[in-house]
């Protein structure tokens, strides 16, 4: 009973939003308005808003002053009143004056897709660096819109759940913002130095680095956790946050994976991408994504169960190109294959695989693929170890994967998988 009350209270406190999308008929779009609006709805939910109504319009071109047609704006104003809407969210980036004009007519806050994404990032950023980068992106977004955002900026926050610049009361003064941008840049430089030292240490560890990249919600963090669960010395606390939510991961995390077949690598989980990812954010996160630059191999995780997976794949590839890492070795990993009967047709070609991070399906094959790219050459051989050399057998259990042990008259016959580097030590026992 009490719990129910709590839930209703939570619902009641949710920000009530109305979404607006525009299809510009004279402009070719790489994504249908329908899909893009669906994604906007997910973004709004991820920011903690409830979607009460959706309005779309077809126009030959955008309206300079209102972005959409004046009549539509009027219609939205009425809907806002009728449904007690708190915020109207536009699917594209608006200019400062458009925001001001729209707010005047509809009477409630107006934000755009970029602002919404920035809000989500502001809510989720955990590390000092993440927080600084989001604030920097927010300030850069606000600067050219200062006049339009007057109303929002004079208020605490602005947008949904925005913490950050709004709270710091430096809003109305452009110079303050510029000074703050400088300040943040300085702090980021310091953070970057620390990270570079850490990276140098990591590179010394000599383990290959594998990075998970891909569209948001594709299952990157889930795959990281699945690998961790198979890993030696598994500790639940090392698992990362994975959830059916856009931008569940914001900060890069790194874990050591040591699989039973002796494959070892460092795995990096990164922030997911989304279409129309604000440019300032791409810029801001470039340094976080720098980890990807140091990777020996990228696993591009694709949600094969999403009808838009091809577009999502393209979006990710574009961002990777922007980051200058499109020349790295990449395995295309089609995930969530447990939800599909037929997997994408490409799965037979090289460096493409279908898996399920959830059920673990094809994980062994993926490991083999990873191994063949980053791993040391593994030999599968038979060894004959005399009984007098007992310590060799225990050594083998440490350095190789022992597939079978057979006690014969002449000695112990072991079938092992062993790295080429270690082979020299056991060469004399090799049973050809
Ligand atoms: N059915 C199914 N669901 C999966 C699979 N892998 C991940 N999921 C689900 O997909 C959702 C998103 O998973 P995450 O691992 O958080 O995705 P992500 O790529 O890390 O997403 P961001 O951090 O938001 O970029 C979660 O609800 C997972 O349980 C899979 O193989 N099959
Ligand atoms: Mg994640």
């Amino acid at each position: 009973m009490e719990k129910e009350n709590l839930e209703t209270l939570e619902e009641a406190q949710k920000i009530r939003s109305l979404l607006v999308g525009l299809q510009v008929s004279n402009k070719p779009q790489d994504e249908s308005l329908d899909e893009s609006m669906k994604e906007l709805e997910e973004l709004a939910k991820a920011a903690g808003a409830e979607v009460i109504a959706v309005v779309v319009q077809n126009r030959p071109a955008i309206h300079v002053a209102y972005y959409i047609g004046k009549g539509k704006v009027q219609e939205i104003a009425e809907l806002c009143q009728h449904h007690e809407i708190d915020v109207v969210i536009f699917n594209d980036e608006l200019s400062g004056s458009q925001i001001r004009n729209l707010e005047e007519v509809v009477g409630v806050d107006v934000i755009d897709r970029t602002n919404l994404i920035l809000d989500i990032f502001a809510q989720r950023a955990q590390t000092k660096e993440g927080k600084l980068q989001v604030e920097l992106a927010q300030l850069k977004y606000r600067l050219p819109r200062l006049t339009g955002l007057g109303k929002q900026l004079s208020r605490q926050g602005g947008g949904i759940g925005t913490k950050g610049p709004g709270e710091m009361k430096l809003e109305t003064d452009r110079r303050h913002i510029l000074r703050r941008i400088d300040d943040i840049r300085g702090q980021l430089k310091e953070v970057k130095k620390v990270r570079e030292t850490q990276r140098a240490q990591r590179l010394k560890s000599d383990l290959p680095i594998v990075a998970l990249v891909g569209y948001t919600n594709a299952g990157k963090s889930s795959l990281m956790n699945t690998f961790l669960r198979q890993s030696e010395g598994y500790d639940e606390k090392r698992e990362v946050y994975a959830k059916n939510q856009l931008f569940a991961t914001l900060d890069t995390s790194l874990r050591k994976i040591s699989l039973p077949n002796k494959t070892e690598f460092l795995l990096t989980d990164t922030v997911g991408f989304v279409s129309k990812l604000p440019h300032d954010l791409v810029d801001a996160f470039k340094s976080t994504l720098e980890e990807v630059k140091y990777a020996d191999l990228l696993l591009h995780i694709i949600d094969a169960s999403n009808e838009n997976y091809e577009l999502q794949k393209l979006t990710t590839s574009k961002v990777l190109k922007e980051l200058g890492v499109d020349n790295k070795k990449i395995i295309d990993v089609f995930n969530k294959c447990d939800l599909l009967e037929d997997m994408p047709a490409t799965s037979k070609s090289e460096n493409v695989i279908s898996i399920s991070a959830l059920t673990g399906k094809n994980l062994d094959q993926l490991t083999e693929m990873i191994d063949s790219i980053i791993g040391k050459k593994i030999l599968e051989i038979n060894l004959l170890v005399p009984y007098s050399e007992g310590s060799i057998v225990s050594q083998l259990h440490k350095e190789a994967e022992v597939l079978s042990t057979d006690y014969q008259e002449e000695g112990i016959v072991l079938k092992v998988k062993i790295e080429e580097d270690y082979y020299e030590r056991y060469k004399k026992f090799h049973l050809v």
Side-chain angles (χ1 to χ4, degrees), residues 190-430:
E190 289 303 308
V191 179
K192 200 172 163 185
K193 259 190 229 153
V194 176
R195 200 151 34 82
E196 266 162 13
T197 323
Q198 286 166 349
R199 185 179 300 129
Q201 279 165 356
R202 199 179 304 142
L203 289 178
K204 255 193 249 150
S205 87
D206 207 24
L207 281 177
I209 300 173
V210 178
L212 295 158
V213 294
Y215 210 76
T216 180
N217 216 41
K220 299 177 291 298
S221 303
S222 304
L223 183 59
M224 167 92 122
N225 290 339
T226 307
F227 270 128
L228 278 172
R229 274 174 225 140
Q230 296 198 349
S231 202
E232 230 168 69
Y234 165 68
D235 176 359
E236 203 184 330
K237 288 196 213 91
R238 300 286 291 157
E239 286 201 11
V240 292
Y241 182 65
K243 209 180 164 205
N244 191 12
Q245 183 182 53
L246 301 189
F247 300 121
T249 306
L250 272 197
D251 296 305
T252 304
S253 44
L254 188 99
R255 302 283 185 270
K256 184 176 167 188
I257 307 290
S258 332
L259 298 176
N261 74 347
K262 305 285 174 210
T263 306
E264 277 196 330
F265 52 89
L266 295 173
L267 190 61
T268 310
D269 185 21
T270 60
V271 58
F273 304 139
V274 75
S275 70
K276 303 184 193 170
L277 189 69
H279 253 263
D280 286 338
L281 262 187
V282 176
D283 277 352
F285 278 81
K286 254 183 197 163
S287 61
T288 315
L289 284 164
E290 250 170 38
E291 299 293 329
V292 175
K293 281 195 191 149
Y294 293 87
D296 300 284
L297 168 67
L298 307 184
L299 302 182
H300 179 174
I301 314 300
I302 301 142
D303 177 356
S305 73
N306 191 303
E307 352 178 315
N308 270 335
Y309 78 83
E310 285 185 47
L311 187 69
Q312 301 188 339
K313 186 167 176 268
L314 215 69
T315 304
T316 304
S317 301
K318 264 195 231 160
V319 182
L320 291 177
K321 202 167 182 174
E322 269 195 66
L323 292 169
V325 293
D326 51 329
N327 55 351
K328 294 230 174 244
K329 286 176 199 147
I330 296 187
I331 302 179
D332 284 342
V333 181
F334 287 90
N335 188 32
K336 309 198 186 179
C337 77
D338 54 297
L339 297 176
L340 288 180
E341 275 171 28
D342 297 316
M343 287 316 287
T346 42
S347 32
K348 283 201 189 76
S349 61
E350 222 182 302
N351 288 348
V352 178
I353 187 168
S354 303
I355 66 150
S356 167
L358 204 67
T359 66
K361 190 172 175 208
N362 279 354
L363 216 67
D364 288 351
Q365 279 95 316
L366 175 60
T367 307
E368 268 173 36
M369 267 188 174
I370 296 174
D371 233 354
S372 72
I373 297 174
I374 58 154
K376 305 254 166 66
K377 196 161 184 282
I378 307 273
L379 306 171
E380 190 175 314
I381 49 169
N382 288 313
L383 300 172
L384 174 65
V385 182
Y387 287 105
S388 57
E389 305 251 17
S391 64
I392 291 286
V393 176
S394 51
Q395 180 110 2
L396 269 169
H397 276 276
K398 279 190 207 126
E399 294 183 346
E401 187 183 2
V402 179
L403 300 172
S404 68
T405 311
D406 195 9
Y407 295 88
Q408 304 223 338
E409 226 172 89
E410 318 82 74
I412 308 166
V413 175
L414 302 122
K415 186 176 193 155
V416 298
K417 270 190 180 173
I418 190 164
E419 273 179 27
E420 211 175 19
D421 287 1
Y422 287 125
Y423 171 67
E424 275 303 304
R425 270 178 234 178
Y426 304 99
K427 204 170 160 191
K428 61 178 175 182
F429 304 116
H430 194 163

